[in-house]
Amino acid sequence: MMDGKGKDRAHWTRIAGDWIKWARTPGHDAFWAYRDQLAGFIGNGPGEALEVGCGEGRVSRLLTECGFRVTATDPVEAFIKAAKDATSANGYAVCGADTLPFPDDSFDQVTAYNVLMDVEDVPATLSEVGRVLKSDGALTISIVHPFADIGSFRGAGPNAPFVITEPYLERTHFEETMVQDGLEMSFFGWSQPLQNYAAALEQAGFAITSIKEPVPDPKSTPERLKNWQRLPLFLWLKARPFPRK
């Protein structure tokens, strides 16, 4: 869920139990309304896949279903234990996303699912990902859409207006506690514009090859998410390394 530095690591270590309950309650959060589309966006194996910031392991399990041989990493030991207990991957490592203990050119696929919002140094993380990714490999990224971070819907109706309350072009720190259906979860990270992510990818030697603003599956979308069929909640990117000289 994060890169293992300072306050962010302390935060995710402290709330690890809350996140495991939140993530493993079927249909509880938005992941379940996008899961099948995410599998299609990632694509099928075979190959060696790495998930950075695996949390309790649900995306690693999805990568396994896609036919990859998966290595799951996270700096929070409780998350790696939970991922192991659920047989989420083939291998595991407790490490930050910017200090990956793998040789150069180790993986065909790297997935960073909703983790880049939680890392303090996005350029350093992407540089390390680029090091361990094969020259013909693919990087798949999911982030909360930068637009979604700067406002909220005013009301619950199907035509509720989306009101912008925060500056878009600034990088800002956020902490937010949500209570939903009896579960409490505290989120922690940084909000920043798309151009910051694009610049960090370019600096790390990546070219963006695909952009998707997914719409939640109508068949599995709870009422509270239906307004996100009008505006994007997530932004998915696929990137590949520039040809190496």
Side-chain angles (χ1 to χ4, degrees):
M1 295 300 300
M2 31 67 77
D3 71 340
K5 287 186 175 180
K7 292 182 179 180
D8 47 2
R9 180 172 188 170
H11 171 86
W12 289 102
T13 299
R14 178 174 58 82
I15 58 81
D18 292 341
W19 174 251
I20 292 167
K21 291 177 184 176
W22 185 279
R24 289 191 175 173
T25 300
H28 183 72
D29 78 346
F31 171 79
W32 306 99
Y34 296 86
R35 185 184 187 278
D36 291 346
Q37 291 182 73
L38 180 63
F41 188 73
I42 292 170
N44 293 326
E48 295 289 332
L50 171 70
E51 187 189 2
V52 294
C54 69
E56 55 74 47
R58 62 187 181 182
V59 175
S60 287
R61 295 191 290 276
L62 183 62
L63 287 164
T64 299
E65 290 178 24
C66 288
F68 292 99
R69 178 178 170 81
V70 182
T71 300
T73 69
D74 201 288
V76 176
E77 291 186 21
F79 285 149
I80 292 297
K81 181 181 184 304
K84 282 183 177 179
D85 289 345
T87 318
S88 302
N90 303 95
Y92 307 87
V94 178
C95 62
D98 60 350
T99 53
L100 299 171
F102 309 111
D104 296 357
D105 305 316
S106 292
F107 298 97
D108 302 285
Q109 160 75 231
V110 177
T111 296
Y113 179 82
N114 289 4
V115 65
L116 293 184
M117 310 98 63
D118 300 340
V119 300
E120 186 171 352
D121 192 339
V122 174
T125 294
L126 291 175
S127 177
E128 184 71 343
V129 166
R131 181 185 66 79
V132 302
L133 185 65
K134 295 178 181 179
S135 60
D136 59 351
L139 166 63
T140 303
I141 295 168
S142 173
I143 55 174
V144 172
H145 200 292
F147 186 80
D149 270 342
I150 62 171
S152 60
F153 290 105
R154 292 296 190 260
N159 297 310
F162 186 85
V163 179
I164 295 173
T165 57
E166 303 295 331
Y168 174 76
L169 293 173
E170 297 178 7
R171 183 178 188 266
T172 57
H173 175 67
F174 67 82
E175 286 189 64
E176 179 184 11
T177 298
M178 295 180 62
V179 178
Q180 182 175 291
D181 297 335
L183 296 180
E184 182 175 296
M185 180 61 206
S186 177
F187 294 93
F188 179 104
W190 289 265
S191 175
Q192 55 190 321
L194 176 57
Q195 66 181 6
N196 288 20
Y197 290 107
L201 283 163
E202 183 178 12
Q203 180 181 326
F206 285 99
I208 297 172
T209 59
S210 183
I211 296 177
K212 185 175 178 65
E213 295 168 309
V215 176
D217 183 352
K219 296 178 182 178
S220 56
T221 302
E223 194 66 30
R224 64 178 177 269
L225 290 176
K226 287 191 175 177
N227 270 320
W228 294 112
Q229 293 173 336
R230 299 164 47 214
L231 292 172
L233 176 57
F234 295 114
L235 178 66
W236 295 348
L237 305 172
K238 192 167 286 186
R240 292 187 179 274
F242 290 125
R244 298 173 185 174
K245 296 180 180 180

PDB file of all heavy atoms in Angstrom, residues 1-2 8-22 76 78-79 177 184-188:
ATOM      1  N   MET A   1       0.797  -1.205   0.000  1.00  0.00           N
ATOM      2  CA  MET A   1       0.000   0.000   0.000  1.00  0.00           C
ATOM      3  C   MET A   1       0.836   1.263   0.000  1.00  0.00           C
ATOM      4  O   MET A   1       0.317   2.353  -0.176  1.00  0.00           O
ATOM      5  CB  MET A   1      -0.915   0.034   1.226  1.00  0.00           C
ATOM      6  CG  MET A   1      -1.945  -1.070   1.212  1.00  0.00           C
ATOM      7  SD  MET A   1      -3.029  -1.001  -0.210  1.00  0.00           S
ATOM      8  CE  MET A   1      -3.764   0.607   0.007  1.00  0.00           C
ATOM      9  N   MET A   2       2.157   1.179   0.245  1.00  0.00           N
ATOM     10  CA  MET A   2       2.942   2.387   0.327  1.00  0.00           C
ATOM     11  C   MET A   2       4.407   2.045   0.191  1.00  0.00           C
ATOM     12  O   MET A   2       4.787   0.919  -0.021  1.00  0.00           O
ATOM     13  CB  MET A   2       2.652   3.149   1.623  1.00  0.00           C
ATOM     14  CG  MET A   2       2.268   2.284   2.803  1.00  0.00           C
ATOM     15  SD  MET A   2       3.587   1.223   3.406  1.00  0.00           S
ATOM     16  CE  MET A   2       4.520   2.459   4.278  1.00  0.00           C
ATOM     17  N   ASP A   8       4.318   7.555   6.337  1.00  0.00           N
ATOM     18  CA  ASP A   8       3.410   6.709   5.563  1.00  0.00           C
ATOM     19  C   ASP A   8       3.522   5.253   5.996  1.00  0.00           C
ATOM     20  O   ASP A   8       2.517   4.567   6.179  1.00  0.00           O
ATOM     21  CB  ASP A   8       3.617   6.865   4.053  1.00  0.00           C
ATOM     22  CG  ASP A   8       5.069   6.800   3.632  1.00  0.00           C
ATOM     23  OD1 ASP A   8       5.935   6.585   4.500  1.00  0.00           O
ATOM     24  OD2 ASP A   8       5.330   6.970   2.429  1.00  0.00           O
ATOM     25  N   ARG A   9       4.742   4.788   6.217  1.00  0.00           N
ATOM     26  CA  ARG A   9       4.893   3.403   6.678  1.00  0.00           C
ATOM     27  C   ARG A   9       4.266   3.219   8.057  1.00  0.00           C
ATOM     28  O   ARG A   9       3.574   2.213   8.310  1.00  0.00           O
ATOM     29  CB  ARG A   9       6.366   3.022   6.728  1.00  0.00           C
ATOM     30  CG  ARG A   9       6.571   1.586   7.207  1.00  0.00           C
ATOM     31  CD  ARG A   9       8.006   1.142   7.086  1.00  0.00           C
ATOM     32  NE  ARG A   9       8.152  -0.267   7.366  1.00  0.00           N
ATOM     33  CZ  ARG A   9       9.250  -0.959   7.156  1.00  0.00           C
ATOM     34  NH1 ARG A   9      10.305  -0.362   6.633  1.00  0.00           N
ATOM     35  NH2 ARG A   9       9.327  -2.241   7.438  1.00  0.00           N
ATOM     36  N   ALA A  10       4.493   4.187   8.932  1.00  0.00           N
ATOM     37  CA  ALA A  10       3.906   4.094  10.272  1.00  0.00           C
ATOM     38  C   ALA A  10       2.379   4.065  10.190  1.00  0.00           C
ATOM     39  O   ALA A  10       1.723   3.313  10.922  1.00  0.00           O
ATOM     40  CB  ALA A  10       4.371   5.273  11.127  1.00  0.00           C
ATOM     41  N   HIS A  11       1.817   4.883   9.303  1.00  0.00           N
ATOM     42  CA  HIS A  11       0.363   4.918   9.171  1.00  0.00           C
ATOM     43  C   HIS A  11      -0.178   3.566   8.735  1.00  0.00           C
ATOM     44  O   HIS A  11      -1.097   3.011   9.355  1.00  0.00           O
ATOM     45  CB  HIS A  11      -0.045   5.981   8.153  1.00  0.00           C
ATOM     46  CG  HIS A  11      -1.497   5.935   7.800  1.00  0.00           C
ATOM     47  ND1 HIS A  11      -2.459   6.588   8.545  1.00  0.00           N
ATOM     48  CD2 HIS A  11      -2.171   5.290   6.805  1.00  0.00           C
ATOM     49  CE1 HIS A  11      -3.642   6.351   8.024  1.00  0.00           C
ATOM     50  NE2 HIS A  11      -3.496   5.573   6.967  1.00  0.00           N
ATOM     51  N   TRP A  12       0.371   3.013   7.637  1.00  0.00           N
ATOM     52  CA  TRP A  12      -0.186   1.767   7.106  1.00  0.00           C
ATOM     53  C   TRP A  12       0.091   0.579   8.013  1.00  0.00           C
ATOM     54  O   TRP A  12      -0.677  -0.377   8.055  1.00  0.00           O
ATOM     55  CB  TRP A  12       0.333   1.537   5.694  1.00  0.00           C
ATOM     56  CG  TRP A  12      -0.280   2.508   4.733  1.00  0.00           C
ATOM     57  CD1 TRP A  12       0.287   3.634   4.214  1.00  0.00           C
ATOM     58  CD2 TRP A  12      -1.611   2.464   4.207  1.00  0.00           C
ATOM     59  NE1 TRP A  12      -0.606   4.288   3.396  1.00  0.00           N
ATOM     60  CE2 TRP A  12      -1.773   3.596   3.372  1.00  0.00           C
ATOM     61  CE3 TRP A  12      -2.673   1.575   4.364  1.00  0.00           C
ATOM     62  CZ2 TRP A  12      -2.959   3.857   2.698  1.00  0.00           C
ATOM     63  CZ3 TRP A  12      -3.861   1.827   3.696  1.00  0.00           C
ATOM     64  CH2 TRP A  12      -3.993   2.960   2.871  1.00  0.00           C
ATOM     65  N   THR A  13       1.181   0.643   8.771  1.00  0.00           N
ATOM     66  CA  THR A  13       1.426  -0.398   9.765  1.00  0.00           C
ATOM     67  C   THR A  13       0.368  -0.337  10.863  1.00  0.00           C
ATOM     68  O   THR A  13      -0.161  -1.374  11.302  1.00  0.00           O
ATOM     69  CB  THR A  13       2.829  -0.239  10.368  1.00  0.00           C
ATOM     70  OG1 THR A  13       3.820  -0.366   9.324  1.00  0.00           O
ATOM     71  CG2 THR A  13       3.099  -1.296  11.437  1.00  0.00           C
ATOM     72  N   ARG A  14       0.029   0.877  11.283  1.00  0.00           N
ATOM     73  CA  ARG A  14      -0.945   1.057  12.358  1.00  0.00           C
ATOM     74  C   ARG A  14      -2.339   0.588  11.959  1.00  0.00           C
ATOM     75  O   ARG A  14      -3.060   0.011  12.767  1.00  0.00           O
ATOM     76  CB  ARG A  14      -0.978   2.533  12.765  1.00  0.00           C
ATOM     77  CG  ARG A  14      -2.005   2.863  13.845  1.00  0.00           C
ATOM     78  CD  ARG A  14      -1.889   4.311  14.300  1.00  0.00           C
ATOM     79  NE  ARG A  14      -2.062   5.246  13.211  1.00  0.00           N
ATOM     80  CZ  ARG A  14      -3.237   5.649  12.729  1.00  0.00           C
ATOM     81  NH1 ARG A  14      -4.365   5.156  13.249  1.00  0.00           N
ATOM     82  NH2 ARG A  14      -3.318   6.518  11.745  1.00  0.00           N
ATOM     83  N   ILE A  15      -2.730   0.822  10.707  1.00  0.00           N
ATOM     84  CA  ILE A  15      -4.116   0.510  10.316  1.00  0.00           C
ATOM     85  C   ILE A  15      -4.198  -0.762   9.471  1.00  0.00           C
ATOM     86  O   ILE A  15      -5.225  -1.023   8.848  1.00  0.00           O
ATOM     87  CB  ILE A  15      -4.754   1.703   9.560  1.00  0.00           C
ATOM     88  CG1 ILE A  15      -3.954   2.100   8.308  1.00  0.00           C
ATOM     89  CG2 ILE A  15      -4.901   2.894  10.481  1.00  0.00           C
ATOM     90  CD1 ILE A  15      -4.184   1.270   7.086  1.00  0.00           C
ATOM     91  N   ALA A  16      -3.143  -1.582   9.483  1.00  0.00           N
ATOM     92  CA  ALA A  16      -3.123  -2.780   8.632  1.00  0.00           C
ATOM     93  C   ALA A  16      -4.339  -3.671   8.878  1.00  0.00           C
ATOM     94  O   ALA A  16      -4.963  -4.170   7.931  1.00  0.00           O
ATOM     95  CB  ALA A  16      -1.829  -3.559   8.855  1.00  0.00           C
ATOM     96  N   GLY A  17      -4.691  -3.882  10.128  1.00  0.00           N
ATOM     97  CA  GLY A  17      -5.840  -4.735  10.425  1.00  0.00           C
ATOM     98  C   GLY A  17      -7.138  -4.173   9.865  1.00  0.00           C
ATOM     99  O   GLY A  17      -7.975  -4.914   9.345  1.00  0.00           O
ATOM    100  N   ASP A  18      -7.293  -2.843   9.956  1.00  0.00           N
ATOM    101  CA  ASP A  18      -8.491  -2.207   9.401  1.00  0.00           C
ATOM    102  C   ASP A  18      -8.560  -2.392   7.894  1.00  0.00           C
ATOM    103  O   ASP A  18      -9.629  -2.668   7.332  1.00  0.00           O
ATOM    104  CB  ASP A  18      -8.504  -0.711   9.729  1.00  0.00           C
ATOM    105  CG  ASP A  18      -8.688  -0.424  11.206  1.00  0.00           C
ATOM    106  OD1 ASP A  18      -9.159  -1.320  11.929  1.00  0.00           O
ATOM    107  OD2 ASP A  18      -8.333   0.695  11.632  1.00  0.00           O
ATOM    108  N   TRP A  19      -7.407  -2.228   7.224  1.00  0.00           N
ATOM    109  CA  TRP A  19      -7.408  -2.362   5.766  1.00  0.00           C
ATOM    110  C   TRP A  19      -7.724  -3.792   5.337  1.00  0.00           C
ATOM    111  O   TRP A  19      -8.449  -4.019   4.361  1.00  0.00           O
ATOM    112  CB  TRP A  19      -6.074  -1.924   5.165  1.00  0.00           C
ATOM    113  CG  TRP A  19      -6.028  -2.204   3.699  1.00  0.00           C
ATOM    114  CD1 TRP A  19      -5.297  -3.156   3.055  1.00  0.00           C
ATOM    115  CD2 TRP A  19      -6.813  -1.558   2.681  1.00  0.00           C
ATOM    116  NE1 TRP A  19      -5.557  -3.149   1.714  1.00  0.00           N
ATOM    117  CE2 TRP A  19      -6.487  -2.173   1.450  1.00  0.00           C
ATOM    118  CE3 TRP A  19      -7.756  -0.532   2.693  1.00  0.00           C
ATOM    119  CZ2 TRP A  19      -7.072  -1.794   0.250  1.00  0.00           C
ATOM    120  CZ3 TRP A  19      -8.335  -0.143   1.489  1.00  0.00           C
ATOM    121  CH2 TRP A  19      -7.997  -0.776   0.284  1.00  0.00           C
ATOM    122  N   ILE A  20      -7.181  -4.766   6.040  1.00  0.00           N
ATOM    123  CA  ILE A  20      -7.438  -6.164   5.681  1.00  0.00           C
ATOM    124  C   ILE A  20      -8.939  -6.455   5.761  1.00  0.00           C
ATOM    125  O   ILE A  20      -9.509  -7.083   4.856  1.00  0.00           O
ATOM    126  CB  ILE A  20      -6.616  -7.109   6.576  1.00  0.00           C
ATOM    127  CG1 ILE A  20      -5.116  -6.959   6.249  1.00  0.00           C
ATOM    128  CG2 ILE A  20      -7.055  -8.555   6.389  1.00  0.00           C
ATOM    129  CD1 ILE A  20      -4.189  -7.593   7.271  1.00  0.00           C
ATOM    130  N   LYS A  21      -9.604  -5.990   6.806  1.00  0.00           N
ATOM    131  CA  LYS A  21     -11.054  -6.185   6.921  1.00  0.00           C
ATOM    132  C   LYS A  21     -11.781  -5.447   5.793  1.00  0.00           C
ATOM    133  O   LYS A  21     -12.705  -5.977   5.171  1.00  0.00           O
ATOM    134  CB  LYS A  21     -11.548  -5.675   8.268  1.00  0.00           C
ATOM    135  CG  LYS A  21     -11.089  -6.490   9.463  1.00  0.00           C
ATOM    136  CD  LYS A  21     -11.588  -5.856  10.758  1.00  0.00           C
ATOM    137  CE  LYS A  21     -11.055  -6.595  11.970  1.00  0.00           C
ATOM    138  NZ  LYS A  21     -11.468  -5.920  13.232  1.00  0.00           N
ATOM    139  N   TRP A  22     -11.368  -4.215   5.538  1.00  0.00           N
ATOM    140  CA  TRP A  22     -12.011  -3.374   4.519  1.00  0.00           C
ATOM    141  C   TRP A  22     -11.880  -4.021   3.141  1.00  0.00           C
ATOM    142  O   TRP A  22     -12.844  -4.125   2.382  1.00  0.00           O
ATOM    143  CB  TRP A  22     -11.352  -2.002   4.548  1.00  0.00           C
ATOM    144  CG  TRP A  22     -11.936  -0.952   3.658  1.00  0.00           C
ATOM    145  CD1 TRP A  22     -11.707  -0.786   2.316  1.00  0.00           C
ATOM    146  CD2 TRP A  22     -12.830   0.102   4.035  1.00  0.00           C
ATOM    147  NE1 TRP A  22     -12.383   0.309   1.841  1.00  0.00           N
ATOM    148  CE2 TRP A  22     -13.085   0.871   2.880  1.00  0.00           C
ATOM    149  CE3 TRP A  22     -13.417   0.482   5.238  1.00  0.00           C
ATOM    150  CZ2 TRP A  22     -13.918   1.991   2.886  1.00  0.00           C
ATOM    151  CZ3 TRP A  22     -14.242   1.595   5.257  1.00  0.00           C
ATOM    152  CH2 TRP A  22     -14.493   2.331   4.092  1.00  0.00           C
ATOM    153  N   VAL A  76       5.013  -3.418   4.761  1.00  0.00           N
ATOM    154  CA  VAL A  76       4.316  -3.710   6.020  1.00  0.00           C
ATOM    155  C   VAL A  76       4.243  -5.224   6.205  1.00  0.00           C
ATOM    156  O   VAL A  76       3.601  -5.928   5.421  1.00  0.00           O
ATOM    157  CB  VAL A  76       2.905  -3.090   6.015  1.00  0.00           C
ATOM    158  CG1 VAL A  76       2.146  -3.474   7.278  1.00  0.00           C
ATOM    159  CG2 VAL A  76       2.988  -1.570   5.893  1.00  0.00           C
ATOM    160  N   ALA A  78       2.656  -7.091   8.250  1.00  0.00           N
ATOM    161  CA  ALA A  78       1.310  -7.643   8.449  1.00  0.00           C
ATOM    162  C   ALA A  78       0.602  -7.877   7.122  1.00  0.00           C
ATOM    163  O   ALA A  78      -0.167  -8.834   6.979  1.00  0.00           O
ATOM    164  CB  ALA A  78       0.488  -6.700   9.329  1.00  0.00           C
ATOM    165  N   PHE A  79       0.860  -7.020   6.144  1.00  0.00           N
ATOM    166  CA  PHE A  79       0.255  -7.218   4.829  1.00  0.00           C
ATOM    167  C   PHE A  79       0.853  -8.437   4.130  1.00  0.00           C
ATOM    168  O   PHE A  79       0.130  -9.228   3.514  1.00  0.00           O
ATOM    169  CB  PHE A  79       0.447  -5.976   3.960  1.00  0.00           C
ATOM    170  CG  PHE A  79      -0.447  -4.823   4.323  1.00  0.00           C
ATOM    171  CD1 PHE A  79      -0.033  -3.514   4.140  1.00  0.00           C
ATOM    172  CD2 PHE A  79      -1.717  -5.030   4.835  1.00  0.00           C
ATOM    173  CE1 PHE A  79      -0.855  -2.449   4.463  1.00  0.00           C
ATOM    174  CE2 PHE A  79      -2.547  -3.963   5.158  1.00  0.00           C
ATOM    175  CZ  PHE A  79      -2.116  -2.667   4.973  1.00  0.00           C
ATOM    176  N   THR A 177     -10.553   9.734   7.143  1.00  0.00           N
ATOM    177  CA  THR A 177     -11.135   8.554   7.768  1.00  0.00           C
ATOM    178  C   THR A 177     -12.551   8.368   7.251  1.00  0.00           C
ATOM    179  O   THR A 177     -13.344   9.311   7.248  1.00  0.00           O
ATOM    180  CB  THR A 177     -11.144   8.683   9.293  1.00  0.00           C
ATOM    181  OG1 THR A 177      -9.789   8.792   9.760  1.00  0.00           O
ATOM    182  CG2 THR A 177     -11.794   7.469   9.937  1.00  0.00           C
ATOM    183  N   GLU A 184     -14.355   1.010   9.636  1.00  0.00           N
ATOM    184  CA  GLU A 184     -13.655   2.295   9.604  1.00  0.00           C
ATOM    185  C   GLU A 184     -12.301   2.129   8.957  1.00  0.00           C
ATOM    186  O   GLU A 184     -11.597   1.143   9.180  1.00  0.00           O
ATOM    187  CB  GLU A 184     -13.484   2.843  11.022  1.00  0.00           C
ATOM    188  CG  GLU A 184     -12.793   4.205  11.070  1.00  0.00           C
ATOM    189  CD  GLU A 184     -12.755   4.781  12.474  1.00  0.00           C
ATOM    190  OE1 GLU A 184     -13.847   5.054  13.025  1.00  0.00           O
ATOM    191  OE2 GLU A 184     -11.637   4.952  13.020  1.00  0.00           O
ATOM    192  N   MET A 185     -11.935   3.098   8.113  1.00  0.00           N
ATOM    193  CA  MET A 185     -10.656   3.030   7.412  1.00  0.00           C
ATOM    194  C   MET A 185     -10.071   4.429   7.306  1.00  0.00           C
ATOM    195  O   MET A 185     -10.760   5.377   6.914  1.00  0.00           O
ATOM    196  CB  MET A 185     -10.867   2.426   6.013  1.00  0.00           C
ATOM    197  CG  MET A 185      -9.593   2.312   5.199  1.00  0.00           C
ATOM    198  SD  MET A 185      -8.377   1.256   6.001  1.00  0.00           S
ATOM    199  CE  MET A 185      -6.878   1.939   5.294  1.00  0.00           C
ATOM    200  N   SER A 186      -8.797   4.551   7.647  1.00  0.00           N
ATOM    201  CA  SER A 186      -8.079   5.814   7.558  1.00  0.00           C
ATOM    202  C   SER A 186      -7.114   5.766   6.380  1.00  0.00           C
ATOM    203  O   SER A 186      -6.220   4.917   6.332  1.00  0.00           O
ATOM    204  CB  SER A 186      -7.308   6.069   8.854  1.00  0.00           C
ATOM    205  OG  SER A 186      -6.550   7.258   8.762  1.00  0.00           O
ATOM    206  N   PHE A 187      -7.302   6.677   5.432  1.00  0.00           N
ATOM    207  CA  PHE A 187      -6.455   6.751   4.245  1.00  0.00           C
ATOM    208  C   PHE A 187      -5.427   7.866   4.403  1.00  0.00           C
ATOM    209  O   PHE A 187      -5.680   8.870   5.075  1.00  0.00           O
ATOM    210  CB  PHE A 187      -7.305   6.984   2.993  1.00  0.00           C
ATOM    211  CG  PHE A 187      -8.218   5.832   2.665  1.00  0.00           C
ATOM    212  CD1 PHE A 187      -9.526   5.809   3.127  1.00  0.00           C
ATOM    213  CD2 PHE A 187      -7.761   4.761   1.926  1.00  0.00           C
ATOM    214  CE1 PHE A 187     -10.370   4.751   2.839  1.00  0.00           C
ATOM    215  CE2 PHE A 187      -8.589   3.683   1.633  1.00  0.00           C
ATOM    216  CZ  PHE A 187      -9.894   3.682   2.092  1.00  0.00           C
ATOM    217  N   PHE A 188      -4.277   7.691   3.739  1.00  0.00           N
ATOM    218  CA  PHE A 188      -3.133   8.573   3.944  1.00  0.00           C
ATOM    219  C   PHE A 188      -2.318   8.606   2.659  1.00  0.00           C
ATOM    220  O   PHE A 188      -2.037   7.557   2.083  1.00  0.00           O
ATOM    221  CB  PHE A 188      -2.282   8.010   5.095  1.00  0.00           C
ATOM    222  CG  PHE A 188      -1.037   8.770   5.442  1.00  0.00           C
ATOM    223  CD1 PHE A 188      -0.983   9.572   6.567  1.00  0.00           C
ATOM    224  CD2 PHE A 188       0.106   8.654   4.662  1.00  0.00           C
ATOM    225  CE1 PHE A 188       0.171  10.246   6.910  1.00  0.00           C
ATOM    226  CE2 PHE A 188       1.272   9.330   4.989  1.00  0.00           C
ATOM    227  CZ  PHE A 188       1.309  10.129   6.123  1.00  0.00           C
TER     228      PHE A 188
END
